[in-house]
């Protein structure tokens, strides 16, 4: 089983008055290490904070709002998804293209697929 790392671009959503097309995208790293925890994924934000949460939560959140506590995920229209991170320092709301997260999830399942032996 191998580690999956995928670099992505996302938008940090703030309460600043900006049109959606004016928001700059930021680099985010999506990481999955089946040796460390086969049920968890990690999202690294530009502030160098990394969040670890259930891979199932990410998958379910692409279809319907889900999550409690520190991480919440929900679809935003047909092509985007939002991941909301809560900490003692506040809340970070990150908007992704859904296809980016789907591609990442697909790669995590391929990384854990067991080879067929005869």
């Amino acid at each position: 089983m191998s580690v999956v790392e995928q670099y992505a671009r996302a938008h940090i959503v703030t309460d600043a008055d900006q049109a959606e097309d004016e928001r700059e995208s930021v680099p985010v790293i999506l990481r999955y290490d089946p040796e460390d925890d086969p049920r968890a994924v990690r999202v690294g934000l530009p502030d160098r904070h990394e969040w670890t949460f259930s891979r199932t939560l990410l998958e379910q959140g692409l279809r319907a709002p889900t999550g409690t506590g520190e991480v919440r995920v929900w679809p935003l229209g047909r092509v985007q998804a939002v991941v909301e991170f809560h900490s003692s320092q506040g809340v970070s709301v990150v908007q992704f293209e859904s296809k980016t997260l789907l591609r990442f999830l697909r790669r995590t399942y391929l990384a854990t697929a067991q080879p067929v032996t005869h």
Side-chain angles (χ1 to χ4, degrees), residues 34-90:
E35 297 292 326
D36 185 39
D37 185 348
R39 295 177 307 251
V41 294
R42 292 188 173 110
V43 176
L45 299 179
D47 63 2
R48 304 206 189 281
H49 192 86
E50 185 174 82
W51 294 86
T52 302
F53 57 98
S54 163
R55 178 170 63 167
T56 303
L57 176 75
L58 181 59
E59 185 175 7
Q60 290 174 348
L62 292 174
R63 293 186 301 269
T66 190
T68 57
E70 292 186 345
V71 180
R72 297 176 182 141
V73 183
W74 66 89
L76 183 63
R78 292 180 156 182
V79 297
Q80 296 178 328
V82 173
V83 183
E84 183 178 274
F85 303 102
H86 293 255
S87 73
S88 58
Q89 289 82 33

